Amino acid sequence: MPMRMSYLAKLILVAITLIATVQFVTYIAARRALLDATVQSAHSALRVGADVFAQSMTAQADQLKGSVSVLVNDFGFREALATRDAGTIDSALRNQADRVAADRALAIGNDFMLLADTNAKAGALPPQFFELLKAADRDGSIATNIVLDDVPYILVVTPVRSPTRIGWVGMGFALDNTLAEKIKQLTRLDVAFFSDQQGSQQKDSEQGGGGSHYIAGTFSAVETTALAATFGEHLSGQPHEITLNDQRVMQIDVPLTRRGVPLYAVLQLPMETVLEPYYRLSQQMWWLVMAGLLFAIAAAVLVGRRLTQTVRELAGAAVRVSSGDYSARVAVRTRDELGELAHAFNRMQDAVVEREQRIVHQGEHDALTGLANRSVARRELIAAINAAEALGKDPLDKNTHVAVLAIDLNHFKSINDAFGHGIGDRVLCHVAERMQTAVKHSDTVVRLGNDEFLLVLAGVDSALALGIAQRLLGDLAKALHLGELHFSIDAHVGIAVFPDDGASAEVLMRRADIAMARCKQDSANPLATRVARYQNGWEEARMRRLSLVHELRDAIANGGLHLRFQPKLKLSAPEYIGGEALVRWVHPTLGFIGPDEFIPLAESSGHIVELTRWVLNAGIQQIAAWAQLGLAIKLSVNISALDLLNDDLPAYIARTLHLHGVSAQSLCLELTESSVMHEVQRSLMSMQRLRDLGLRLSIDDFGTGQSSLALLKKLPIDELKIDKSFVLKLDQSEDDRVIVHSTIELGHNMGLEVVAEGVETEASRVILRELGCDMVQGFLLAKPLPAAEFTQWVIDHRQRVMEEN
Ligand code: C2E
Ligand code: CA
Ligand code: CA
């Protein structure tokens, strides 16, 4: 895997490379300059040394000249020279030489004889003197180089006149090691003296060979040899470098006086010494460069760290945010661009949090009312159940309970239909508000849909839940003003309580809903409560209802139903025979199922329309069959509210009657009060059309509904059928007798015939006759009978009537 370089590493690398390059170039340049300066200063040191040397030579020569002139002007000395008094001459010479630290002094007579010499015996004059003396005669006092007894001297020679020349005096100093040391002390340079005998008059001297000849100096023997070997190659009077015995040195050559033997002084510095400060300085510089580099690295690392730390923190924060963790914020350390970036990141994080919360809220709340939705209800309920469960089972502790209230508004659809959805929505919002104020803040108020709501109340048992439900209904019932409009909201509440009514959220929510649906079913009953707590078996009952609904359809279509017929007699006209068709369903596995159970199912599922058609068809066919037997039976058939709203019903009946050649007068339709109440206008019109066909109309179960007399008056009906609940105990209950009596009066006053159903005893029949009731029906006459038995009963009855008359 290729190594991935971190941004920090790259940054530092670039910075360091840059800095290192700059440092290095500077270092090289500085070293170069330093070297130049060092060499230059060495050159000038050599030049100064050469100057100092030359001046000291000149000064020394001048001193010698002065000293010689003292001798020359000394009368005594002149006397001695003239008289050739060797002893005096010698002592005067020595005296004067000592005074100026001359190395040699000599006196020469006019006859070119050496009269006295401080370093040798007097005698013949060395040959090199002749030219010299000539020059001195010509020029007066002269300084010259000369080699005497192998020792080179700087010699000052002056003729002695008295007044004619009587001889010469010379005084000189030797170019020896002592002088060299002295000069070295003065200049701090190594010194060597050389004679360059090329082209000199000493070419053939005893030293032999041409080239340079080393005279004296401050060098060791080895150096001296090497020096001698190279001397003469570089005569330039300028500082220059050469290699001696593998060692670099810098030297300058200084020519001594031009007269006489060519002599040179070489002043020398070992390069080591020359370069020593250079090396020292450049080493210091090197360390400075290194220190600078280290400092730069440290600075780069520090700055880089700072930079990348923020970047890393941002990256880390981005990873956290992407995984949904918004808890931490990026620290804002600086006010620069990085700080701004961190700021911006935090702002972005806030915005993301805000947006996510909004999305979550939208996903969990109803847009209209702002209430939580079903998923929240489930979650909250689960949480509440878990919390309650954790407290254990204690029926007396409210906190071990959770109540679920399913609430359904009544007639909300009609508000929508009548006033439009705008008003409907506002009503819902007010309802939502009232619900929220009716419960604790911690409770969950949910809108499940349309006009259905749900409350999740933690720590609430059934008694408390019933109380809350009642209070809530009271709150909702309070008048709601929307401008000109006033509403009073009516609702049904179903309650299921954990743990008694279910252990899971699903079950509790379902059972609260079942309890609410129960409540609603019973709503036709004025005494029914608006609140119901779930009861054992309701769920099973609903399951049964659901499967029955499904199978009923099948029974209607495939002959699973049959009719029973119950006789209905006129008290005043015994020959009149009526009957009521009552539908029966024998389920293939469940056996007999009563109409009280399946008729409401058929009504709620909409199957009632087909069922009624089936009953009408079968009933009319039966009338036709009886007519064939010569029996004119007036048959009553029960009709539901939904049938009344079905516009096709009158046409269907007319068609069927016509088909079987049955007259409309043979058929009576029984309608309950409440079925008419549902949609009064439409029902009225429908009833009118049925009546126009020539059918007889009867109000069934009279006394249980809430119809007003005003409405009753408007109904196009022929008959009132007093509900059997007032008739069954008629012979025992004075109250029932009063009710039945007044009902009969009422019916008669409105021009209606009155029927009593549920007549079980002879005593009741007697009472009904006394009260003027028109017709009776009940077990006293016969139970609902199969068609054949009914036919037989009719035949038997006619027989009895005939016999009685
Ligand atoms: P309903 O229309 O009031 O029918 C009379 C009910 O009273 C019948 O019950 C009948 O058996 C019962 N009954 C008659 N005489 C007596 C008596 O002396 N004592 C007692 N205790 N009961 C008596 P059933 O057949 O069980 O019908 C119940 C209800 O079902 C009916 O009440 C009616 O509302 C409905 N129903 C029955 N057949 C049909 C039908 O074909 N169509 C429609 N829409 N509803 C029907
Ligand atoms: Ca009936
Ligand atoms: Ca009835």
Side-chain angles (χ1 to χ4, degrees):
M1 199 176 97
M3 261 269 285
R4 272 185 57 213
M5 216 177 180
S6 79
Y7 180 68
L8 173 62
K10 279 185 213 156
L11 194 77
I12 292 172
L13 196 72
V14 168
I16 289 170
T17 309
L18 263 172
I19 293 165
T21 309
V22 169
Q23 292 267 71
F24 191 66
V25 168
T26 310
Y27 171 70
I28 296 291
R31 234 175 87 120
R32 183 77 214 220
L34 184 62
L35 183 61
D36 284 352
T38 310
V39 169
Q40 281 310 317
S41 89
H43 284 183
S44 66
L46 282 176
R47 280 199 196 97
V48 167
D51 275 0
V52 167
F53 173 71
Q55 273 170 26
S56 114
M57 286 297 111
T58 312
Q60 219 159 331
D62 284 351
Q63 208 179 6
L64 287 179
K65 270 183 191 167
S67 188
V68 167
S69 93
V70 167
L71 267 183
V72 167
N73 293 322
D74 185 87
F75 180 75
F77 181 73
R78 281 208 305 244
E79 266 292 309
L81 191 64
T83 58
R84 294 179 169 250
D85 177 357
T88 309
I89 292 169
D90 190 66
S91 89
L93 279 179
R94 282 186 195 280
N95 225 333
Q96 201 60 33
D98 280 353
R99 207 178 292 162
V100 294
D103 292 317
R104 199 163 185 172
L106 38 79
I108 301 161
N110 245 353
D111 54 359
F112 298 105
M113 285 301 289
L114 194 53
L115 297 180
D117 186 346
T118 51
N119 284 34
K121 281 192 194 141
L125 192 66
Q128 53 267 53
F129 266 86
F130 295 105
E131 281 292 314
L132 190 64
L133 297 179
K134 255 189 254 173
D137 279 349
R138 197 170 54 242
D139 299 343
S141 184
I142 59 158
T144 187
N145 309 334
I146 194 163
V147 177
L148 294 176
D149 315 323
D150 285 346
V151 178
Y153 290 92
I154 304 286
L155 193 71
V156 171
V157 179
T158 306
V160 184
R161 297 180 206 278
S162 179
T164 55
R165 167 164 58 75
I166 52 169
W168 293 270
V169 173
M171 202 177 285
F173 54 88
L175 298 181
D176 54 8
N177 287 345
T178 320
L179 179 66
E181 286 298 338
K182 241 196 289 187
I183 289 169
K184 185 177 180 176
Q185 270 171 21
L186 208 64
T187 59
R188 299 185 182 285
L189 301 170
D190 278 315
V191 183
F193 300 123
F194 281 90
S195 63
D196 182 14
Q197 279 152 345
Q198 272 174 338
S200 90
Q201 59 268 70
Q202 300 248 323
K203 209 179 262 180
D204 305 315
S205 72
E206 52 269 53
Q207 275 85 33
S212 312
H213 174 60
Y214 174 75
I215 303 165
T218 57
F219 295 90
S220 71
V222 181
E223 288 168 333
T224 308
T225 315
L227 201 56
T230 61
F231 181 77
E233 287 169 16
H234 309 285
L235 284 178
S236 63
Q238 292 301 324
H240 56 267
E241 281 175 42
I242 58 166
T243 304
L244 274 186
N245 293 334
D246 297 335
Q247 280 197 341
R248 295 289 289 170
V249 294
M250 185 179 278
Q251 66 181 31
I252 189 166
D253 45 283
V254 188
L256 300 176
T257 53
R258 293 211 196 93
R259 258 182 235 273
V261 186
L263 289 181
Y264 291 88
V266 172
L267 304 181
Q268 198 185 67
L269 270 174
M271 278 317 269
E272 224 170 82
T273 317
V274 170
L275 295 178
E276 193 273 333
Y278 161 74
Y279 285 134
R280 193 161 31 83
L281 274 175
S282 66
Q283 196 168 38
Q284 279 173 4
M285 241 160 59
W286 175 250
W287 286 122
L288 273 174
V289 164
M290 282 301 150
L293 208 59
L294 275 178
F295 178 78
I297 291 173
V301 168
L302 227 72
V303 170
R305 272 261 177 83
R306 180 84 154 263
L307 184 81
T308 53
Q309 189 183 357
T310 310
V311 171
R312 259 203 307 274
E313 274 178 33
L314 283 171
V319 169
R320 275 200 318 277
V321 166
S322 70
S323 70
D325 173 9
Y326 304 116
S327 55
R329 302 180 70 78
V330 181
V332 181
R333 290 202 190 76
T334 52
R335 298 169 123 256
D336 53 15
E337 290 88 337
L338 284 176
E340 263 174 45
L341 186 60
H343 246 316
F345 187 90
N346 285 335
R347 276 201 303 278
M348 181 198 76
Q349 179 171 321
D350 292 344
V352 168
V353 168
E354 202 257 334
R355 216 163 303 148
E356 197 172 283
Q357 280 170 349
R358 210 166 55 220
I359 289 167
V360 168
H361 188 270
Q362 279 169 357
E364 296 191 333
H365 290 79
D366 169 38
L368 176 64
T369 60
L371 294 181
N373 64 17
R374 188 184 294 272
S375 71
V376 177
R378 252 182 59 88
R379 196 179 62 213
E380 295 294 316
L381 183 51
I382 288 169
I385 288 172
N386 290 340
E389 228 164 16
L391 295 174
K393 273 196 164 100
D394 179 1
L396 296 179
D397 182 0
K398 281 204 290 285
N399 290 321
T400 62
H401 294 77
V402 182
V404 180
L405 275 63
I407 301 154
D408 189 283
L409 308 187
N410 281 349
H411 313 307
F412 179 72
K413 189 180 176 311
S414 54
I415 294 180
N416 259 345
D417 290 348
F419 305 104
H421 286 272
I423 295 292
D425 286 352
R426 286 173 66 189
V427 169
L428 283 176
C429 286
H430 281 281
V431 167
E433 231 175 84
R434 288 187 181 183
M435 282 192 188
Q436 263 172 327
T437 47
V439 299
K440 279 199 291 186
H441 196 70
S442 57
D443 293 331
T444 310
V445 181
V446 176
R447 183 177 175 215
L448 294 179
N450 201 23
D451 59 349
E452 287 178 43
F453 298 84
L454 193 88
L455 302 185
V456 176
L457 311 176
V460 170
D461 62 11
S462 60
L464 192 54
L466 282 167
I468 291 171
Q470 294 294 358
R471 197 178 66 218
L472 178 64
L473 288 175
D475 287 351
L476 291 178
K478 282 179 197 153
L480 172 65
H481 304 283
L482 290 181
E484 300 282 277
L485 303 170
H486 305 290
F487 299 96
S488 167
I489 304 298
D490 185 26
H492 289 105
V493 184
I495 301 174
V497 181
F498 173 85
D500 304 346
D501 301 335
S504 75
E506 286 307 324
V507 171
L508 287 167
M509 282 168 73
R510 195 171 62 235
R511 293 190 168 172
D513 194 57
I514 290 170
M516 185 271 290
R518 274 284 176 147
C519 243
K520 217 173 182 177
Q521 249 171 36
D522 296 346
S523 63
N525 176 1
L527 300 174
T529 56
R530 293 273 186 259
V531 183
R533 181 184 168 194
Y534 177 80
Q535 284 170 30
N536 259 337
W538 280 5
E539 173 142 33
E540 291 75 4
R542 186 164 82 153
M543 294 304 289
R544 178 182 158 98
R545 267 206 309 283
L546 289 177
S547 69
L548 285 186
V549 164
H550 184 69
E551 287 155 353
L552 178 61
R553 187 199 169 91
D554 198 52
I556 297 168
N558 301 314
L561 305 179
H562 64 272
L563 288 182
R564 294 257 165 140
F565 302 93
Q566 189 177 34
K568 178 179 167 194
L569 295 180
K570 227 176 210 173
L571 289 173
S572 57
E575 70 283 357
Y576 172 95
I577 296 177
E580 181 175 2
L582 295 160
V583 71
R584 294 290 177 261
W585 179 21
V586 181
H587 188 277
T589 54
L590 299 174
F592 179 82
I593 296 169
D596 282 333
E597 184 176 3
F598 72 81
I599 292 297
L601 289 186
E603 285 175 335
S604 62
S605 65
H607 296 333
I608 191 69
V609 174
E610 287 116 86
L611 186 135
T612 301
R613 285 188 181 203
W614 182 86
V615 174
L616 281 167
N617 189 47
I620 288 168
Q621 277 188 50
Q622 190 56 53
I623 298 172
W626 282 321
Q628 292 265 304
L629 297 174
L631 304 173
I633 311 286
K634 308 256 185 210
L635 188 68
S636 294
V637 168
N638 295 285
I639 300 287
S640 287
L642 273 176
D643 294 319
L644 267 191
L645 300 180
N646 175 11
D647 295 336
D648 297 340
L649 185 69
Y652 177 81
I653 293 175
R655 242 190 357 258
T656 312
L657 287 172
H658 181 74
L659 186 63
H660 298 288
V662 175
S663 94
Q665 280 78 31
S666 311
L667 193 62
C668 172
L669 299 184
E670 295 187 2
L671 317 152
T672 61
E673 276 175 277
S674 51
S675 70
V676 179
M677 297 275 295
H678 254 306
E679 284 195 43
V680 179
Q681 282 312 315
R682 274 184 74 186
S683 300
L684 265 177
M685 275 167 58
S686 189
M687 285 169 80
Q688 194 56 59
R689 282 171 66 197
L690 291 169
R691 196 134 184 272
D692 290 348
L693 286 179
L695 300 176
R696 186 181 164 87
L697 295 185
S698 168
I699 290 296
D700 202 357
D701 301 345
F702 188 75
T704 58
Q706 292 162 295
S707 56
S708 65
L709 287 178
L711 175 63
L712 199 60
K713 247 180 84 179
K714 276 196 231 163
L715 294 179
I717 52 173
D718 307 278
E719 181 184 287
L720 273 190
K721 210 168 172 183
I722 305 172
D723 190 71
K724 57 177 181 287
S725 58
F726 307 107
V727 179
L728 289 172
K729 302 263 166 1
L730 189 62
D731 49 354
Q732 298 156 41
S733 161
E734 185 56 35
D735 286 353
D736 284 352
R737 192 202 292 249
V738 171
I739 292 169
V740 169
H741 184 196
S742 56
T743 307
I744 292 169
E745 291 295 301
L746 173 77
H748 285 171
N749 287 342
M750 289 170 61
L752 305 172
E753 279 188 299
V754 179
V755 186
E757 63 172 5
V759 182
E760 291 186 352
T761 61
E762 186 54 39
S764 294
R765 176 156 63 173
V766 171
I767 296 169
L768 286 165
R769 192 190 293 273
E770 280 170 5
L771 294 178
C773 186
D774 301 294
M775 286 185 256
V776 292
Q777 177 186 347
F779 293 170
L780 177 66
L781 305 179
K783 294 200 166 180
L785 302 169
E789 285 178 40
F790 181 86
T791 308
Q792 190 55 53
W793 185 90
V794 171
I795 292 167
D796 292 350
H797 174 73
R798 271 168 56 170
Q799 191 66 38
R800 269 199 306 276
V801 170
M802 298 237 295
E803 279 165 12
E804 277 168 22
N805 288 339

